Amino acid sequence: MKMPLSWLNDYTKVGVTPKEYCDAMTLSGSKVDAFEMVGEGIEKVVVGKILKIEQHPDADKLVVCQVDAGESLQIVTGAKNVFEGAYVPVALHGSHLPDGTVIKKGKLRGVISEGMFCSTDELGMTEGTATGVLILEGEPVLGEDIKKTLGLDEVVVDFDITSNRPDCLSMIGLARESAITLHEEFSIPQVVVEENDEQVEDYLSVKVENSALCPRYTARVVKNIKIEPSPMWMQKRLEGCGVRAINNIVDITNYVMLEYGQPMHAFDIDFLKGQSICVRTAKEEETIVTLDDVERQLTPDMLMICDGEKPVAVAGVMGGQNSEIQDSTKTIVFESANFDGASIRSTAKALGMRTESSARFEKELDANVTLDAVNRACQLICELGAGEVVGGVIDVYETLPKRLEITLRPAKINSFLGTDISEEEMIRILKALECEIKGDKIYPPTFRKDLETEADIAEEIARFYGYDKIESTLMKGESVAGGKTLKQSTEDVVKRALTSRGLYEIYTYSFTDPNAFDKLNLPADSELRKCVTILNPLGEEQSVMRTQHYNEMLKALSLNNSHRNQNVGLFELGTVYYPKALPVTELPEEREFVTIGMYGDVDFYDLKGIVEQLFYALNISDYKVVAKKDDPTFHPGKTAELMVEGVSAGVFGAVHPAVCNQYELDREVLMASIDFTLLLEYMKPEKTYHALPKFPAVTRDLAMLCDDEVEVGSIEEIIRQCGKALVEEIKLFDIYKGKQIPEGKKSVAYSVVFRDANKTLEEQEVNRVMDKILTRLEEKLHVELRKN
């Protein structure tokens, strides 16, 4: 945003040098990229008046001019556009021009020339466009420095405005920041519009069909328009801001945009069919030829300004040729509207035509400014005598933005900033920012949408109090920094336990492929198929949030298998997402799972040992392993379910061969999925110390026959129930099926360790427990001792 300092003086005073001003503004948060002294390099160039012109005696293309430039001079020139009575810039003897040229008096074809007339190019005002000497308007002071006459003593400051401060894309916004920074008064000149007795509704009607994309549309009508160049002062200000002057009407819209930050547009009302405006989205196959003479293909999501038949402007981006202001225009409509920023950005991007207007609208402008801006444009019409303003304003809106409420807590702000700023100083700064203060409540202005929280208020106070005034202090040790939560510490325990068994941790995306449900053999009514769909997925393979880790783990194992890695063990600790309702109306439930995947020189019992070591590391002892045959992803004869205090905590076993084929895995794959969120509830963070036993143990081996269907876990449970406190350890050391074993039976062998913590066990005590165990096993599971 370029800002001429002379324009700034309309709203506040700048009583410092340009360098001091730029430094102060940067320090207060309005970053200055650079500043330019416009007339720098011009010396001893003054205003002169041509009194007499005579033909050069020895050159047909030269003339000899007598000039009054505060002193009488004779200048020889070849310019074609000079005439007697013209006021022109005169470079005196010894003068300097911006390109480094030094002018000295001399002779041209034998005639003395004591200086030179200057064009706009030579004064650095344009580049290669001048067609002759610059003819000055009016009757400037003879001998006056040309920089003062042309406003070339201007300083233009170039600000780098961040996207959260659209209010500073205006002269008024920057003036407000300047006034607070420099501790000066700030005021906006009063806007007074001279209207006729007519009513705008007799000239124009406005309808807004999509108020979500156009919260406010304001319009005024001006008749008896006179199209002519803008006055020099307006042209200078526009050029200082980098905007080319066109004519008085277009220049007024650009001037108001720069002054208020509110883009405007002007339509020729004679080109609006039905003298009506309709704000709507484009229809299928609609097109518009914009002011840059390019035909644009529109889509139904683009907001358009239309008349009774067709689009006449791309809302917030650029007007159309079919309603352009022309030299014959007599009545115009000034548009000052507020549009949805995201809509304007997507439209401008799709059409490839980002403009000054769209760049402002996409930053979400304040809807409360539209009326002030259109009135200011009409005021300029009156001041320039460019037309007659029709009475009344068309202002279409449903609701207008309201001020937010933020609590002011001076002590909290000082603690946050490390300062000792008085409450009075805080209030002074906030009022200068046009915040309303009522008790301990702050109500920021609606044009400051970036002020939402107490931290934002603290930042405003800090930057205008002065960052340089905030003293550096050492950190205070009032609280202990760092440390991990219980969950984080438990995650570390899990990772250490699994990596100690040779497994490698992997990370995969939380997005997955909906086709994976079929590859995992999940039935059509499986709860795992109910997933959250992503609105803007990276692709089909990452279009839903995962409800399990199986797919990603099997893909990782398949990748390793394709690279001929013979022994692979992987694990992942990650999140799955269960929607509470479909379609999604609230955030899904998130649960973390530990997923293990293995193949190679491992079997079911290796995986079981890893799971048991994990539970040991988490100090979970009240769990059991039961057979599971109804999980379609796993092998029905090699799968077990983990039960923790009667609650299912996960599943592990061999992956179903059909599933392995889907992932091109030509070997047995083992996998486990354990609910880490559930484990957190049952884990015991503190380890319990047990002293070494003082009394010896008694070991008994049991070899038993049972049906194939009997689970060894059920046998172990009965042994523990009957042995109670005397059973210290149960170890299964053999399962056998062969010639000596009847059909449908199996032999299981246990080593049972008995110990009493308070005395040495006697033979009779152990025998009584053994008899009780065998009796209960026979009653419950039809288990009997092997005879041979």
Side-chain angles (χ1 to χ4, degrees):
M1 173 72 185
K2 292 185 175 182
M3 181 191 71
L5 279 186
S6 63
W7 195 349
L8 183 66
N9 288 321
D10 286 0
Y11 317 100
T12 189
K13 292 181 180 179
V14 181
V16 294
T17 66
K19 178 69 167 59
E20 291 171 336
Y21 172 77
C22 293
D23 289 345
M25 291 298 289
T26 297
L27 191 60
S28 68
S30 300
K31 183 176 179 292
V32 175
D33 275 345
F35 71 93
E36 176 189 5
M37 309 287 289
V38 177
E40 193 171 18
I42 300 176
E43 295 182 14
K44 295 185 70 174
V45 180
V46 299
V47 176
K49 180 179 181 180
I50 301 175
L51 302 176
K52 185 178 181 181
I53 300 177
E54 295 177 337
Q55 184 65 44
H56 191 289
D58 294 323
D60 293 339
K61 296 183 178 181
L62 298 178
V63 293
V64 180
C65 302
Q66 303 303 318
V67 180
D68 182 359
E71 58 180 299
S72 296
L73 300 173
Q74 178 175 284
I75 296 176
V76 179
T77 182
K80 303 295 185 184
N81 65 325
V82 295
F83 55 91
E84 293 181 357
Y87 289 86
V88 294
V90 178
L92 305 176
H93 172 68
S95 62
H96 291 73
L97 299 180
D99 62 359
T101 301
V102 178
I103 305 300
K104 295 183 178 181
K105 65 181 179 181
K107 289 184 178 182
L108 289 176
R109 293 288 185 95
V111 177
I112 293 176
S113 182
E114 299 176 290
M116 184 184 79
F117 299 145
C118 298
S119 67
T120 54
D121 292 351
E122 289 159 337
L123 292 175
M125 298 171 62
T126 56
E127 295 182 5
T129 60
T131 57
V133 171
L134 172 61
I135 306 300
L136 303 176
E137 295 181 354
E139 296 184 1
V141 179
L142 297 178
E144 183 179 67
D145 191 325
I146 198 66
K147 290 187 289 187
K148 181 178 180 181
T149 304
L150 294 178
L152 296 179
D153 53 352
E154 181 66 88
V155 177
V156 176
V157 181
D158 192 357
F159 287 92
D160 182 9
I161 306 300
T162 54
S163 59
N164 67 321
R165 292 299 306 276
D167 60 298
C168 285
L169 290 172
S170 66
M171 294 301 305
I172 290 175
L174 288 173
R176 184 183 294 109
E177 294 282 308
S178 301
I180 306 173
T181 301
L182 302 176
H183 300 281
E184 297 286 354
E185 294 295 324
F186 167 74
S187 63
I188 302 174
Q190 186 178 5
V191 175
V192 178
V193 181
E194 296 178 8
E195 306 175 345
N196 65 18
D197 295 333
E198 297 177 284
Q199 291 300 313
V200 67
E201 289 81 4
D202 297 333
Y203 284 80
L204 180 73
S205 64
V206 175
K207 179 182 179 182
V208 177
E209 290 187 358
N210 194 326
S211 59
L213 299 184
C214 179
R216 189 176 191 182
Y217 193 95
T218 309
R220 295 202 70 156
V221 173
V222 181
K223 59 187 287 189
N224 299 328
I225 289 295
K226 300 174 185 176
I227 305 294
E228 57 190 9
S230 300
M232 187 58 68
W233 66 267
M234 181 176 285
Q235 292 187 39
K236 290 177 185 175
R237 288 188 170 183
L238 292 175
E239 289 168 4
C241 295
V243 177
R244 181 172 60 91
I246 298 175
N247 61 49
N248 54 351
I249 303 303
V250 176
D251 290 353
I252 284 173
T253 62
N254 287 331
Y255 188 91
V256 173
M257 178 182 72
L258 294 170
E259 186 176 32
Y260 281 78
Q262 171 64 43
M264 291 186 60
H265 189 66
F267 301 100
D268 187 327
I269 200 169
D270 291 335
F271 294 127
L272 299 179
K273 296 295 183 181
Q275 291 190 323
S276 65
I277 285 178
C278 178
V279 185
R280 61 170 174 82
T281 51
K283 299 176 182 178
E284 292 285 354
E285 305 301 324
E286 255 185 339
T287 61
I288 185 174
V289 178
T290 46
L291 290 173
D292 55 1
D293 199 28
V294 177
E295 183 175 15
R296 311 284 180 177
Q297 182 66 51
L298 307 176
T299 58
D301 60 335
M302 296 178 178
L303 189 67
M304 309 301 295
I305 309 300
C306 308
D307 60 14
E309 297 179 356
K310 62 188 181 302
V312 294
V314 182
V317 183
M318 186 179 287
Q321 276 191 353
N322 54 13
S323 60
E324 183 181 9
I325 302 298
Q326 301 179 4
D327 292 341
S328 59
T329 297
K330 294 301 180 184
T331 305
I332 64 169
V333 176
F334 273 137
E335 168 195 278
S336 177
N338 185 263
F339 302 113
D340 176 70
S343 171
I344 299 303
R345 178 175 174 79
S346 62
T347 297
K349 186 176 181 180
L351 295 177
M353 51 186 302
R354 197 165 187 262
T355 62
E356 282 286 340
S357 176
S358 68
R360 284 170 163 78
F361 276 122
E362 67 188 31
K363 294 176 176 62
E364 297 289 352
L365 301 181
D366 180 16
N368 287 320
V369 179
T370 62
L371 183 59
D372 294 336
V374 76
N375 285 337
R376 174 60 168 154
C378 290
Q379 180 190 34
L380 289 171
I381 287 284
C382 298
E383 290 179 355
L384 302 184
E388 180 182 348
V389 179
V390 174
V393 181
I394 295 178
D395 195 9
V396 181
Y397 61 88
E398 291 184 359
T399 58
L400 292 177
K402 301 290 179 62
R403 292 175 180 251
L404 295 177
E405 180 182 281
I406 304 173
T407 301
L408 174 61
R409 297 185 292 175
K412 178 70 175 178
I413 290 175
N414 277 322
S415 174
F416 181 67
L417 297 176
T419 56
D420 189 22
I421 305 172
S422 67
E423 182 175 353
E424 291 75 17
E425 176 65 8
M426 293 183 185
I427 292 175
R428 183 195 70 79
I429 292 172
L430 294 173
K431 285 185 175 180
L433 289 168
E434 299 187 23
C435 296
E436 288 186 8
I437 310 293
K438 296 181 180 179
D440 64 345
K441 301 300 181 183
I442 309 167
Y443 300 89
T446 55
F447 58 77
R448 289 298 305 274
K449 295 185 179 182
D450 59 312
L451 300 185
E452 298 177 333
T453 65
E454 190 175 23
D456 299 324
I457 296 297
E459 180 184 3
E460 295 301 295
I461 291 171
R463 69 190 186 95
F464 289 116
Y465 172 73
Y467 291 124
D468 56 327
K469 296 180 183 178
I470 300 177
E471 296 182 2
S472 299
T473 57
L474 294 174
M475 295 179 63
K476 295 181 180 179
E478 296 178 352
S479 61
V480 179
K484 293 187 176 181
T485 63
L486 175 63
K487 177 176 176 292
Q488 292 170 328
S489 300
T490 307
E491 288 175 348
D492 291 343
V493 171
V494 169
K495 293 177 181 180
R496 283 197 297 269
L498 296 178
T499 53
S500 69
R501 292 299 298 264
L503 302 184
Y504 290 90
E505 185 177 10
I506 64 172
Y507 288 91
T508 61
Y509 286 113
S510 296
F511 314 137
T512 193
D513 185 354
N515 297 319
F517 301 136
D518 295 330
K519 296 170 69 175
L520 295 171
N521 278 353
L522 296 180
D525 60 349
S526 172
E527 288 295 317
L528 295 180
R529 285 183 178 267
K530 297 176 181 178
C531 53
V532 178
T533 302
I534 300 169
L535 293 177
N536 55 341
L538 299 174
E540 175 64 21
E541 293 185 353
Q542 294 178 323
S543 60
V544 297
M545 302 298 290
R546 66 185 177 191
T547 56
Q548 36 65 37
H549 287 162
Y550 301 152
N551 179 56
E552 283 67 40
M553 179 59 71
L554 290 171
K555 285 170 65 176
L557 293 173
S558 177
L559 178 63
N560 278 273
N561 185 52
S562 68
H563 285 74
R564 301 184 179 180
N565 293 332
Q566 297 302 311
N567 292 282
V568 177
L570 309 174
F571 78 92
E572 179 177 13
L573 180 56
T575 307
V576 298
Y577 305 85
Y578 299 137
K580 297 176 182 177
L582 289 177
V584 175
T585 56
E586 57 181 316
L587 292 176
E589 178 188 3
E590 299 183 20
R591 298 187 73 84
E592 283 192 77
F593 275 74
V594 180
T595 305
I596 302 171
M598 308 170 65
Y599 70 72
D601 297 331
V602 290
D603 58 18
F604 175 87
Y605 295 103
D606 290 308
L607 179 57
K608 181 173 181 287
I610 291 173
V611 174
E612 289 175 338
Q613 181 172 333
L614 175 61
F615 275 58
Y616 176 79
L618 296 174
N619 206 15
I620 299 175
S621 56
D622 187 7
Y623 72 93
K624 63 180 181 178
V625 178
V626 297
K628 186 173 179 63
K629 299 182 179 181
D630 58 352
D631 192 316
T633 304
F634 288 85
H635 192 297
K638 298 181 180 180
T639 305
E641 185 175 16
L642 286 162
M643 305 296 293
V644 179
E645 296 186 19
V647 180
S648 176
V651 61
F652 68 92
V655 178
H656 199 290
V659 175
C660 289
N661 289 337
Q662 292 285 347
Y663 290 88
E664 299 181 357
L665 287 162
D666 54 356
R667 58 175 76 210
E668 183 178 65
V669 174
L670 302 168
M671 192 162 62
S673 179
I674 305 169
D675 190 338
F676 175 77
T677 305
L678 187 68
L679 296 186
L680 275 175
E681 298 180 20
Y682 292 105
M683 68 162 292
K684 299 176 178 61
E686 299 296 329
K687 298 286 186 180
T688 304
Y689 167 76
H690 294 281
L692 291 174
K694 296 179 180 180
F695 302 98
V698 177
T699 302
R700 294 287 179 88
D701 291 342
L702 287 174
M704 298 170 287
L705 284 176
C706 63
D707 294 334
D708 274 343
E709 292 77 14
V710 174
E711 298 175 359
V712 294
S714 301
I715 295 175
E716 293 178 8
E717 186 175 355
I718 289 177
I719 293 174
R720 290 194 182 279
Q721 288 175 352
C722 295
K724 295 183 179 179
L726 295 183
V727 175
E728 184 178 86
E729 182 181 2
I730 304 171
K731 184 176 181 180
L732 175 68
F733 64 85
D734 183 49
I735 297 179
Y736 174 73
K737 294 174 70 175
K739 294 181 180 179
Q740 298 88 352
I741 306 301
E743 187 71 24
K745 298 284 187 177
K746 63 183 174 183
S747 171
V748 293
Y750 285 96
S751 176
V752 184
V753 178
F754 298 90
R755 192 193 304 269
D756 192 323
N758 301 313
K759 65 178 182 176
T760 300
L761 283 174
E762 295 183 359
E763 189 76 13
Q764 296 86 345
E765 291 179 279
V766 176
N767 288 340
R768 284 197 297 271
V769 174
M770 287 293 294
D771 291 341
K772 184 177 180 181
I773 290 171
L774 293 173
T775 301
R776 186 70 60 83
L777 287 172
E778 184 176 3
E779 290 175 353
K780 296 290 186 181
L781 303 177
H782 306 294
V783 174
E784 59 185 25
L785 281 174
R786 280 186 61 182
K787 305 298 182 182
N788 50 27

